């Protein structure tokens, strides 16, 4: 099994000209747009497999009312969680709730709805296609109608991005940003335009597998 040091993985974000840094900047812009359109208070955000939450951090730092943002982060690596929590608090965020654990478990999502913004960044590339669809079904259960999911997925062959878009559509979402189709990584956003649904019944929603065969 491939092992990755997920704390060290984030260091590439610090190289200004790297592809990873460019990807980060695009995610931050998209998240900022999603925050900007929120009228209510608080703005409830959940980041699944949050890592160091750098994508959310860069948006919160530029958002006009960071104190209104309440974030819940689910992340397996306690070092990343410590980094994320400290950085978000330093940025003046209204609240941070942290769950160090396996984000693939349904129980973490009980009572979490309704979310204004759900971040699934750096997740789908590590899930089987079946688990991607199950995660999209979960998204429908926890995002408020009108709320936004921001997600990423590499376009390595076989490119699963069109299939992901079609799953979002079949689960009540409408695409609002698909980015440049020539980019090696899709950074996209969908809005829940259908009705919400209850949480899925099964406790295991997804299994995060590094190097999963798509
Ligand atoms: C590709 S990184 C993405 C981090 C961040 N969302 C980003 O885009 O910069 C994946 C993250 O998922 C975390 N992770 C791996 N398996 C997990 C699991 N089962 N539950 C929660 N987090 C997990 C890793 O520790 C890592 O920080």
């Amino acid at each position: 099994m491939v092992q990755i040091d997920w704390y060290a993985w984030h260091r590439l974000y610090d190289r200004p000209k790297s592809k990873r840094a460019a990807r980060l900047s695009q995610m931050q812009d998209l998240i900022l747009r999603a925050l900007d359109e929120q009228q209510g208070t608080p703005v409830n955000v959940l980041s699944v497999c949050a890592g160091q939450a750098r994508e959310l951090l860069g948006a919160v730092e530029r958002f006009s009312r960071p104190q209104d943002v309440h974030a819940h982060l689910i992340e397996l690596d306690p070092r990343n969680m410590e980094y994320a929590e400290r950085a978000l608090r330093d940025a003046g965020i209204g609240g941070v709730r942290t769950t160090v654990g396996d984000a693939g478990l349904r129980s973490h999502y009980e009572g979490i709805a309704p979310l204004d913004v759900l971040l699934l960044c750096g997740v789908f590339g590590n899930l089987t296609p079946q688990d991607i669809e199950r995660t999209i079904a979960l998204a429908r259960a926890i995002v408020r109608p009108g709320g936004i999911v921001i997600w990423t997925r590499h376009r390595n062959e076989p490119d699963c991005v069109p299939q992901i878009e079609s799953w979002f559509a079949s689960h009540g979402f409408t695409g609002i940003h698909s980015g440049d189709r020539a980019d090696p990584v899709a950074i996209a956003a969908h809005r829940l335009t259908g009705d919400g649904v209850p949480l899925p019944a099964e406790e295991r929603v997804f299994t995060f597998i590094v190097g999963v065969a798509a």
Side-chain angles (χ1 to χ4, degrees):
M1 196 171 60
V2 185
Q3 298 275 7
I4 293 187
D5 178 341
W6 287 112
Y7 186 81
W9 180 90
H10 288 77
R11 289 197 192 118
L12 259 189
Y13 280 148
D14 296 326
R15 293 201 197 154
K17 293 200 173 122
S18 66
K19 287 183 185 154
R20 185 81 57 78
R23 169 181 171 271
L24 178 63
S25 162
Q26 288 176 53
M27 290 191 292
Q28 291 171 340
D29 288 350
L30 203 49
I31 296 166
L32 179 59
R33 275 165 55 184
L35 296 180
D36 277 338
E37 77 162 58
Q38 305 302 319
Q39 307 292 330
T41 308
V43 179
N44 288 314
V45 180
L46 171 68
S47 181
V48 174
C49 301
Q52 296 178 358
R54 300 225 197 167
E55 67 273 53
L56 177 59
L57 177 65
V60 166
E61 283 172 341
R62 287 187 283 148
F63 186 42
S64 55
R65 44 190 187 100
Q67 71 283 0
D68 288 349
V69 178
H70 285 246
H72 184 167
L73 316 174
I74 309 178
E75 161 64 29
L76 204 52
D77 188 325
R79 299 169 302 167
N80 283 339
M81 192 62 101
E82 193 186 328
Y83 179 107
E85 185 175 10
R86 187 178 55 244
L88 285 167
R89 289 199 192 284
D90 287 350
I93 198 166
V96 191
R97 181 176 159 203
T98 60
T99 301
V100 176
D102 181 353
L105 299 179
R106 170 198 189 279
S107 42
H108 290 312
Y109 302 93
E110 278 167 11
I112 228 168
L115 295 170
D116 299 298
V117 180
L118 170 63
L119 305 180
L120 293 169
C121 300
V123 180
F124 287 165
N126 302 286
L127 270 50
T128 62
Q130 185 190 27
D131 280 3
I132 294 173
E133 184 178 11
R134 291 158 63 91
T135 305
I136 293 169
L138 168 75
R140 184 177 191 171
I142 56 178
V143 170
R144 70 165 171 80
I148 296 173
V149 182
I150 294 172
W151 57 276
T152 66
R153 174 60 154 80
H154 63 73
R155 291 184 181 274
N156 298 353
E157 290 299 333
D159 182 3
C160 193
V161 170
Q163 176 67 75
I164 294 174
E165 290 171 332
S166 119
W167 280 325
F168 268 109
S170 66
H171 284 280
F173 289 88
T174 302
I176 54 173
H177 181 87
S178 58
D180 185 341
R181 298 209 173 257
D183 280 352
V185 177
I187 299 171
H190 276 76
R191 186 189 307 284
L192 182 59
T193 46
D195 296 331
V197 291
L199 279 176
E202 302 79 24
E203 173 62 357
R204 172 62 63 187
V205 180
F206 66 79
T207 304
F208 189 105
I209 308 166
V210 177
V212 68

